[in-house]
Amino acid sequence: MVFRFVATLAILVWGCCAGLVIAAPSVTIPAAAPSNLFQPGDSIAFDVRLTGMSAGNVEVSARVTDYFGKEVWSKNQSVPAGDDGNALLPVKLEQLGNGYYELHVSARQGGGDEARAKTMVSFGVAPFVERSAAEVREKEYRFGLKKWNWSSPLRGTEWDERKAVAASVKLGLQWTREMLQEQRHLGTIEMIETYPMNVVMKIERFPAEMYDEQRYGPKAAWEAEQGKGHWVLKTLPQKAPYQKWLREHVSKIPAEQNVFEIWNEPWDKMNPEDFAELCKWIAEVVFDVRPNAILGPNLLGSTSDYYFDARFIKAGGMERMNMVALHPYGNSADREWLRSYRKWINEKAGRPIDIYVTEFGSPSTPEGPGRRSEQEQAQRVVSQSLYLFAEGVTVFMPHTMGQSERDPTYLEEWYGLFRFSHEPKPAIIAYANTARLIDGSRYVGDLWYGPGVDAILFERDGTFTLALGTRSEKAEVEVEPGVEQVTLIDMVGTETKRAVTDGKLRLPVSADWTYLVGVSPSLETKASTELRPDRYPSDAKQARNQRQLARMSAPPTFDGRFDDWKNATQLAMINPKVNGNDASGTGYLAWDADHLYVGVNMRDNQVHNTQPQAKLYLHDSLELFVSTVPRDEGAGAAPTDHQFFITPTSGEKRAMFTEVMDSPDTSVQEDVKEGKSHIGPGGNGWVAEVAIPWSRLSDFKPKPGAKIAIEMRVNDADTAHERFKIDPSDAQGVPPLDPPRWSLHELVE
């Protein structure tokens, strides 16, 4: 079966009397090769199919553009449509060099200028590889691509994992990540036995009969509070049955596949002490069945003594582990962070720990506040992969092969390197090009061509390659390659020979990386593995926000009106990228001898929260952060740091006023029953007034001149868009999970 995603501009014509709809003109281009990937020298041809046309000639315009938007081929042709309104136009292209391409076709009839129907298909030209999974392991190739599953048909078609895995293997991306026990569509064992693919096997979930009712109470009651089915990720199973079940599944895996990752982002699911206990159970089984296993937890990547990783290690979670898996989306570009974390985890474990990156990447969200172009996605994925390789990450794989593409504003649905139609996006061609040039290399060091320019030197089999790029801005550099001629390869693999004049070569560089292949080995003497802080200077640390916290002359009446909050400290809750009618409002803070008072009056065109306690932040909610012992350093939650949730509704069909009892694990919450509150609908959205007893806040002693750190964030999500984050206007950009950055408040009369 051929799967096609068709972007069609069509005109619907209504019968003047009967109101009948005549079939709309459309253009479709079935896939011409698996995932529309071709090798250099292949003959490239597509069959353009026209339907819903009128009988007679159809004017068809076809053109091919490359990654940079340059037209590289075009053709205009008149094609006859039969009485059935169908026509076929074979499009045969001249041989194209390595690169990413788009074939744009439009069709019109009647001599008008308006296109009656049009579509685009993307394709790529790249060298294929032929190597076994064992060769990948033996030669320590590191580039991979995370497998994407979609278990049910979407828009009437199914995502075919086999096509994506086969394409990834051809491109030399022969590491992926999959559930240990996965059997749907292309199961883990079938994938290993059918394709030369190495798998980081995720140990996660367990059968329903292993739910530990003695530890957590009846499942129905647990689900009513935490969400249906969430127990499979957030609770510990019954130990003996679970270990027996796990042993059976590990034993089924072919012996040469021996890399196992424990859980997916557990910091958002269970407390670190429970996770450490679970990891010990898993280690007992895995090392008994597979003594040479590479096993480790998925950790957060924080070195704070207060945060998940440190608490997990303190509880003994790393006792037998020899690797950690990280998901450094934002931090992938921060090489200093990765070096610091590697040093920290090695010291904590008392031995070298390998680092696997089983998720990283960037979306290409077409609309909304998170909008990002496909070119930007390609640039970020390539930059991240080069940094991860240079920093010695054992294996890394972007998230993910495919994407669902349902909501144009929702980031999570646009991380794929292939489209849902299985066509390539620019990112897969650019990423595979980087793998072809760099994988199996030795990181030599960095060269210096001024601030803002990355210049990373690699060596493979005696050939030296210099990768040049920037984060966003354009620059021009002068390179002394030490040879008379180099091969210049652009972002997507197009190759040209460049002569070197007077020993120097001037080149424009940008976020679209350029590779100089065949530079002199003498450049190694100029390279350094030290990271210059002035290459990408950090922004000056934002000064901590200072406010005065006003005293209430009398407690408010908690009626949803704010007439009696006039002397409170007021905050403008806005997001410059969000329409004010959609989500904006006013926050209120005040105090007296007994309580901390907090209020919000939010405009909201759709009050919406259907989440369980653990995920309240994904929909309409107020997150309140309070530190009764303000500090200037040390990220993560200390015992004197508090987090509260206030929501107008929830998955429990009620308003919520809770405190997180084991931050940062938001699944452990407790209703604030001793606090006064009014939470519900407002004139244009929703309102909340709450009073938090000081006795609940680390026994803070309120008095004029005392200081307390407070930050707040309103989350807004509608059925039409993903979550917007609404912060006080004077605290834009303050990380809500970084207590030393929370706004500092001095209590005043």
Side-chain angles (χ1 to χ4, degrees):
M1 179 178 289
V2 175
F3 300 115
R4 291 288 308 121
F5 173 73
V6 183
T8 302
L9 174 65
I11 299 175
L12 297 180
V13 183
W14 288 82
C16 61
C17 299
L20 298 176
V21 179
I22 300 174
S26 67
V27 181
T28 61
I29 309 175
S35 299
N36 277 4
L37 294 175
F38 302 87
Q39 296 190 79
D42 282 352
S43 177
I44 301 172
F46 295 94
D47 286 333
V48 177
R49 297 175 182 176
L50 311 178
T51 58
M53 313 302 294
S54 300
N57 286 341
V58 183
E59 300 301 320
V60 181
S61 173
R63 63 190 184 94
V64 175
T65 56
D66 65 11
Y67 170 80
F68 299 98
K70 179 183 177 182
E71 185 176 288
V72 297
W73 179 91
S74 66
K75 185 176 184 179
N76 297 318
Q77 186 171 337
S78 180
V79 180
D83 292 338
D84 60 0
N86 298 336
L88 178 66
L89 173 64
V91 173
K92 295 183 179 180
L93 306 174
E94 59 193 51
Q95 291 183 357
L96 297 172
N98 295 346
Y100 168 84
Y101 300 96
E102 294 178 355
L103 170 60
H104 302 262
V105 177
S106 61
R108 61 175 63 86
Q109 280 184 309
D113 292 333
E114 181 180 356
R116 293 293 300 275
K118 64 182 180 180
T119 194
M120 181 276 285
V121 64
S122 63
F123 63 97
V125 179
F128 293 171
V129 303
E130 294 288 342
R131 59 190 180 205
S132 67
E135 183 181 356
V136 171
R137 297 190 301 271
E138 290 163 4
K139 295 190 176 181
E140 298 183 348
Y141 291 114
R142 302 191 240 164
F143 281 69
L145 182 56
K146 181 188 165 190
K147 182 168 169 258
W148 185 73
N149 298 316
W150 193 263
S151 59
S152 58
L154 185 65
R155 295 189 299 275
T157 62
E158 289 187 357
W159 166 260
D160 190 342
E161 294 97 332
R162 291 171 176 80
K163 287 185 178 181
V165 171
S168 298
V169 166
K170 289 179 182 294
L171 294 173
L173 310 174
Q174 292 172 261
W175 281 97
T176 195
R177 178 200 193 207
E178 184 53 279
M179 193 92 69
L180 169 72
Q181 69 273 23
E182 182 61 64
Q183 296 181 5
R184 298 172 300 170
H185 293 248
L186 177 59
T188 301
I189 294 177
E190 181 188 351
M191 178 169 57
I192 292 170
E193 294 177 342
T194 306
Y195 301 95
M197 181 69 83
N198 294 289
V199 182
V200 175
M201 285 157 289
K202 180 173 60 172
I203 299 176
E204 185 185 61
R205 303 172 183 259
F206 52 89
E209 62 269 19
M210 295 175 194
Y211 172 80
D212 193 342
E213 189 168 298
Q214 185 174 354
R215 186 168 188 162
Y216 297 102
K219 187 192 299 181
W222 192 96
E223 288 187 320
E225 181 176 325
Q226 300 289 342
K228 189 173 179 60
H230 290 193
W231 54 268
V232 77
L233 299 172
K234 298 182 177 183
T235 71
L236 274 61
Q238 300 172 48
K239 181 179 179 181
Y242 173 69
Q243 288 189 317
K244 178 182 178 182
W245 173 86
L246 179 61
R247 180 181 300 274
E248 292 173 354
H249 281 284
V250 174
S251 299
K252 295 176 183 178
I253 299 298
E256 70 276 6
Q257 299 282 338
N258 68 334
V259 184
F260 301 87
E261 171 187 8
I262 304 177
W263 243 245
N264 179 71
E265 300 182 357
W267 55 88
D268 198 27
K269 299 176 177 66
M270 63 180 73
N271 68 57
E273 289 75 25
D274 283 355
F275 185 53
E277 183 178 359
L278 178 64
C279 286
K280 292 176 184 178
W281 298 354
I282 291 171
E284 289 174 7
V285 173
V286 171
F287 285 119
D288 184 49
V289 177
R290 195 69 54 80
N292 66 335
I294 298 170
L295 175 69
N298 181 196
L299 293 183
L300 183 58
S302 170
T303 60
S304 168
D305 288 340
Y306 300 113
Y307 233 41
F308 190 92
D309 296 18
R311 290 175 54 188
F312 168 80
I313 294 170
K314 186 177 180 180
M318 285 296 295
E319 285 178 1
R320 302 184 66 183
M321 305 298 164
N322 46 30
M323 74 90 147
V324 295
L326 300 177
H327 295 172
Y329 285 92
N331 283 338
S332 296
D334 188 347
R335 295 171 63 183
E336 192 62 58
W337 160 79
L338 188 54
R339 288 191 183 189
S340 297
Y341 187 80
R342 182 189 295 279
K343 182 175 182 291
W344 179 85
I345 194 75
N346 289 348
E347 290 175 350
K348 290 289 185 180
R351 61 191 180 281
I353 299 293
D354 288 340
I355 293 178
Y356 284 66
V357 170
T358 52
E359 286 186 24
F360 75 98
S362 177
S364 61
T365 319
E367 298 177 17
R371 185 178 184 275
R372 186 171 294 161
S373 71
E374 290 187 342
Q375 184 179 17
E376 288 178 292
Q377 180 193 34
Q379 292 166 347
R380 289 170 183 248
V381 169
V382 166
S383 295
Q384 292 165 342
S385 66
L386 286 166
Y387 299 151
L388 294 173
F389 191 97
E391 292 308 313
V393 171
T394 304
V395 168
F396 48 85
M397 54 195 76
H399 175 79
T400 178
M401 288 182 185
Q403 56 190 30
S404 55
E405 303 172 3
R406 295 170 302 182
D407 184 343
T409 71
Y410 189 31
L411 277 68
E412 292 295 331
E413 297 188 356
W414 298 92
Y415 271 94
L417 271 61
F418 289 97
R419 308 182 198 284
F420 186 74
S421 63
H422 298 89
E423 297 168 19
K425 294 170 68 177
I428 186 64
I429 304 301
Y431 179 63
N433 179 54
T434 305
R436 177 174 69 91
L437 297 173
I438 303 302
D439 211 359
S441 294
R442 170 177 65 95
Y443 163 62
V444 178
D446 288 62
L447 298 175
W448 176 251
Y449 294 109
V453 176
D454 272 309
I456 312 176
L457 187 63
F458 302 93
E459 178 270 332
R460 183 175 61 197
D461 298 330
T463 297
F464 285 75
T465 296
L466 179 62
L468 294 163
T470 69
R471 298 282 172 89
S472 58
E473 66 287 348
K474 295 182 179 180
E476 188 172 88
V477 299
E478 185 175 82
V479 179
E480 296 182 6
V483 293
E484 296 182 354
Q485 179 179 274
V486 297
T487 301
L488 188 150
I489 301 179
D490 70 14
M491 180 82 159
V492 289
T494 305
E495 300 187 12
T496 57
K497 299 292 185 181
R498 289 290 296 271
V500 179
T501 304
D502 297 328
K504 297 179 181 179
L505 186 64
R506 293 196 67 82
L507 292 170
V509 293
S510 68
D512 291 313
W513 285 73
T514 298
Y515 306 88
L516 296 183
V517 180
V519 296
S520 171
S522 64
L523 267 63
E524 181 164 6
T525 62
K526 302 177 182 179
S528 172
T529 58
E530 297 298 317
L531 299 177
R532 290 185 57 141
D534 53 348
R535 185 181 301 280
Y536 289 107
S538 301
D539 295 334
K541 186 175 181 180
Q542 180 180 346
R544 191 168 192 173
N545 200 31
Q546 307 273 342
R547 301 188 190 123
Q548 289 187 328
L549 188 61
R551 181 169 186 157
M552 278 284 202
S553 56
T557 54
F558 299 95
D559 56 2
R561 302 172 61 183
F562 290 88
D563 297 344
D564 45 2
W565 289 73
K566 291 181 180 178
N567 67 328
T569 300
Q570 299 186 21
L571 310 173
M573 303 299 295
I574 62 171
N575 182 330
K577 296 180 180 179
V578 177
N579 186 295
N581 291 326
D582 190 353
S584 64
T586 303
Y588 299 85
L589 293 170
W591 70 283
D592 66 16
D594 300 312
H595 296 94
L596 171 66
Y597 296 101
V598 181
V600 288
N601 186 0
M602 293 300 299
R603 285 180 290 274
D604 191 343
N605 61 348
Q606 182 186 8
V607 179
H608 174 69
N609 196 317
T610 60
Q611 297 290 332
Q613 281 193 7
K615 298 289 185 180
L616 291 174
Y617 61 89
L618 290 176
H619 287 170
D620 294 350
S621 55
L622 168 67
E623 291 182 78
L624 177 71
F625 304 89
V626 181
S627 180
T628 56
V629 182
R631 61 185 189 275
D632 295 325
E633 58 185 22
T640 53
D641 298 329
H642 302 262
Q643 181 181 3
F644 297 86
F645 278 100
I646 301 166
T647 70
T649 184
S650 66
E652 297 183 27
K653 308 297 183 184
R654 67 182 179 96
M656 305 284 276
F657 177 22
T658 65
E659 181 178 4
V660 176
M661 300 309 295
D662 193 13
S663 185
D665 176 21
T666 60
S667 68
V668 183
Q669 297 183 29
E670 178 180 281
D671 286 329
V672 183
K673 295 179 180 178
E674 72 273 32
K676 301 176 182 179
S677 66
H678 173 92
I679 308 169
N684 297 306
W686 64 280
V687 298
E689 300 173 280
V690 303
I692 304 172
W694 290 116
S695 59
R696 194 176 186 100
L697 294 170
S698 310
D699 290 323
F700 179 78
K701 306 301 181 185
K703 61 181 180 180
K707 293 186 178 181
I708 188 171
I710 304 173
E711 207 53 78
M712 60 197 311
R713 165 171 286 174
V714 171
N715 301 299
D716 174 73
D718 298 347
T719 54
H721 67 73
E722 64 169 323
R723 175 173 55 139
F724 295 147
K725 301 171 184 177
I726 316 298
D727 296 328
S729 59
D730 63 351
Q732 300 287 318
V734 173
L737 294 179
D738 189 359
R741 300 284 300 281
W742 296 346
S743 298
L744 195 61
H745 296 70
E746 181 181 358
L747 277 59
V748 298
E749 291 284 2

